[in-house]
Amino acid sequence: MNGLNSHKKQCFTKQIVLAFMLFTSYFSVYAQNGMERKQLFDYDWKFFLGDASEAKANEFNDESWRKLDLPHDWSIEGNIHPKNATGGGGGYFPAGIGWYRKTFQVPNEWKAKKTAIYFEGVYMNSEVFINGKSLGVYPYGYSTFSYDLTPYLNFGKENVIAVKVDNSQQMNSRWYSGSGIYRHVWMNTTNAVHTAQWGVAITTPEVSAKKASVQVKTMVKNETLSAQTMVVKTIIWNKNAKNSGNAQVEISLPANSEKEITQTITVSNPLLWTPETPNLYQAQVQVLQSKNVLDDTKINFGIRSIKYTVENGFQLNGKTVKINGGCVHHENGCVGSAAFDRAEERKIELLKAGGFNAVRTSHNPPSEAFLNACDRLGLLVMDESFDCWKQGKNSNDYSKYFEKWWQKDLQTMILRDRNHPSIVMWSIGNEIGERGKPEAVETAKMLLQEIKKIDTTRPVTSAVVNLDKWENLDPLINVHDVAGYNYHLNTAADDHKRVSNRIIVQTESYPKDAFENWKLVQDNKYVIGDFVWTAIDYLGEAGIGRTFYSGETPGENWDNDMFPYHGAYCGDIDLIGWRKPISHYRSMLYNTNEKLYIAVREPAPEPLEIKTTMWSVWPTWESWNWPGFEGKNIVVEVYSKYPKVRLYLDNKLIGEQATTQDQKFKATFTVPYVAGILKAVGVENDKEVESKILKTAGDAAKLKLTTDRKEIHANGQDLSYITIEITDKDGIIQPNAANRLNFKIEGEGVIVGMDNANLKDLDQYVSNTRKAWKGRALVVIKSTRDAGEIKLSVTSDGLEGKSIVVKSLQK
């Protein structure tokens, strides 16, 4: 800590302790990308839905515009309608053009600094103005970008940032994209001598239980008019805020130049990063001159090794790990694409609870908060760049911009994300339209080479889907380090005979094929894992995972208009966070923490039949409430890792079945329906070891409210997810309840979304009323910037009202 006085040392130590002991704190979430110099710029914006080209001028009067904080997605606030231009792919949500403005003061002392505005993501075609001056247009809605404001600022005076967001050119996305400045915005200020943006790269080339070498490469910039000499000092801190190693070097830089320096630091007895033990370290990189700290960058990272071979598959820290992955889109259900930190964190919590150890960011770079949560909570990541290259899938998609923008967008993703220990693979594309043509091979080589210029520590893949003859795609697949198969893992054995050095991961799979894919992953060392489509339900691609009755419109969403469906419904987890039975089954295949589960296949009202799509599974529920089916046969499913299971109805034995791998760890029983108690029992060595029950619920009688967190931060950004359940008088959830629920919020919070997971329900997601579906609903509340209590009250005709209080605290 050379050059710091005692008081500063104490303050610094307290900051480090806070950052490491409270990794979920508001500040530390943003330390990952080396941007501690940045100030959050999310608050006090003005918004107008529509075009307003005159709004770029400082003198424009925006008094009538809506006041809001970021992140913001205006599409989720609108009406779902079949005539909206986004169509079924975009979930029939509105899009259009919107404008944002923010007025702010710039202190005189910033004259000697470099100042930039940093956008984590704007969807899409954003144009940014500072004091009336256009800084540029950025097309890709998933890229992070920044602009240098220094030449255009009025120091000591008022300044205006204006942003035009143009999502009117439809269709541009095959799924729900949202519209607006939906991720964080930052104001970044540095001295003229500083580390470059994303200029610190951390790798761990040698890792063992006894020691690890941490290599820190730092790009230092001198943006002054004279040569400068400085010291670059790096300190490695562990999670207990203890110094685990350090290094420093003196360098000289000519005027207006930059230089990359490399430091290698040995860490003894390292705490390794794995999904089970996601240990994080922090690298503090200081640029000092005459003992003055010119720049102070902090980056969280993990110490871990990765290796991919045909003989041992994917190895993390020397141990083979089979990937049980899920694909997700970027949106967060009823809050739309708004990338609130808590929404992103909760998504990772849901994936972990669902038994997944990996996630694919289909089909674009995710938010920084998403990756920070993967690091902190322990989830492997396949980080994906594009859905298309030169050949488009929609008339206004990224193919319009690929030739001009691919390099910048790809560099941005790799530079921004390379220090995340959770990322173990890059993906350069998904089901590329030109995949059967020679030019696709050349494009893949070009993209892969660009990545390798920045990062050689991770393999590169892309998701390839079949055309007509699978082996015709060998030239494209063989460009990649790892072969990504969409829905084609059944050819793995034959492919291995043909291309013996191929390492395979299934980048997408049908949910219904869970067992078959699990077995292929287990039986073949060169098959490293499977990513199901999808882990969580999502808006858009309307109805691809739906079930329907005979006589209704068949097929997937690209065949027909599926309105009122406005989401896919193919996720293991639904949009309010409930794990569907397929989630329990898949997790049971890969994990050991769950060994028994019972659910009931939904019966069809005669003479109709239930039909499924390629991405759906039979509708199956945790319910023994089937009025109208008394005496009729209903199928009960039991998933089990026990050798046998028994099923009882009201303590009378229905039957016993084996549930070994030969039975795919599943038993089905046909039971004439009668209200009562179903009980599944796991049997081992002829002893009943564990049981699960489903009990017929009585009439809806009560409301039950639970929250994921009773205390949240009073920062205007934190969220509490409150689940509403309708139960009978004994507290058993009534699975057929569809009561209209009305919500009232009081205190220091606002409602930012509500849902019930029914993707045919056309109620607005931002409202104060919602019907329950299957006895459940969800309300998401957001804190204000004032501390205090937040009270949510829920009422419904015929039921006693209930309320719940969440405390919002200053931290």
Side-chain angles (χ1 to χ4, degrees), residues 271-315:
L271 300 170
L272 302 187
W273 188 96
T274 71
E276 296 76 26
T277 58
N279 297 303
L280 292 178
Y281 286 79
Q282 188 178 83
Q284 181 184 15
V285 181
Q286 293 181 323
V287 179
L288 302 104
Q289 196 172 60
S290 301
K291 297 186 178 181
N292 293 318
V293 179
L294 300 182
D295 201 338
D296 195 352
T297 299
K298 301 181 182 71
I299 298 177
N300 296 335
F301 72 98
I303 295 176
R304 56 101 175 108
S305 67
I306 58 173
K307 186 178 181 181
Y308 295 79
T309 62
V310 170
E311 295 77 17
N312 295 306
F314 166 57
Q315 291 180 296

Side-chain angles (χ1 to χ4, degrees), residues 460-477:
V460 177
T461 188
S462 72
V464 180
V465 72
N466 192 20
L467 285 170
D468 51 354
K469 199 172 183 182
W470 184 245
E471 52 264 39
N472 289 347
L473 294 172
D474 280 352
L476 174 61
I477 292 173

Side-chain angles (χ1 to χ4, degrees), residues 695-730:
K695 185 175 182 180
T696 304
D699 293 339
K702 298 193 296 187
L703 295 171
K704 180 182 178 182
L705 277 58
T706 54
T707 179
D708 63 335
R709 295 185 303 160
K710 295 180 180 179
E711 294 183 355
I712 61 177
H713 296 175
N715 58 14
Q717 304 244 341
D718 208 1
L719 307 178
S720 177
Y721 286 77
I722 298 173
T723 300
I724 300 95
E725 293 178 332
I726 300 174
T727 74
D728 67 7
K729 61 181 178 61
D730 296 320

Side-chain angles (χ1 to χ4, degrees), residues 590 631 665 709:
Y590 285 89
F665 306 111
R709 295 185 303 160

Side-chain angles (χ1 to χ4, degrees), residues 15 65 129 133 231 346 367 412 428 479 508-509 594 663:
Q15 289 170 354
W65 286 23
F129 301 86
K133 168 69 176 177
V231 170
R346 178 177 179 266
S367 73
T412 292
I428 54 176
V479 170
E508 288 182 26
S509 66
E594 190 173 10
Q663 292 79 36

Side-chain angles (χ1 to χ4, degrees), residues 166-231:
D166 187 353
N167 194 20
S168 64
Q169 301 173 47
Q170 295 293 330
M171 295 174 61
N172 57 58
S173 177
R174 297 186 302 110
W175 57 90
Y176 176 87
S177 66
S179 305
I181 308 178
Y182 69 101
R183 293 179 182 167
H184 294 301
V185 180
W186 302 86
M187 190 66 74
N188 187 13
T189 59
T190 67
N191 289 304
V193 176
H194 61 96
T195 58
Q197 178 176 274
W198 308 318
V200 178
I202 303 173
T203 57
T204 52
E206 296 179 14
V207 176
S208 71
K210 292 184 178 180
K211 66 178 182 178
S213 62
V214 178
Q215 186 180 85
V216 183
K217 293 184 176 181
T218 303
M219 182 68 74
V220 184
K221 301 185 75 171
N222 173 17
E223 296 190 80
T224 72
L225 299 177
S226 60
Q228 301 287 331
T229 299
M230 66 217 68
V231 170

Side-chain angles (χ1 to χ4, degrees), residues 521-568:
V521 170
Q522 301 305 312
D523 291 349
N524 300 285
K525 292 182 178 180
Y526 53 86
V527 178
I528 64 174
D530 173 48
F531 288 84
V532 67
W533 191 268
T534 55
I536 301 177
D537 280 344
Y538 59 97
L539 302 174
E541 284 203 302
I544 69 165
R546 82 196 198 288
T547 56
F548 55 97
Y549 291 132
S550 50
E552 294 182 339
T553 302
E556 277 70 37
N557 76 318
W558 49 83
D559 297 318
N560 297 286
D561 183 355
M562 294 301 170
F563 191 83
Y565 274 102
H566 55 278

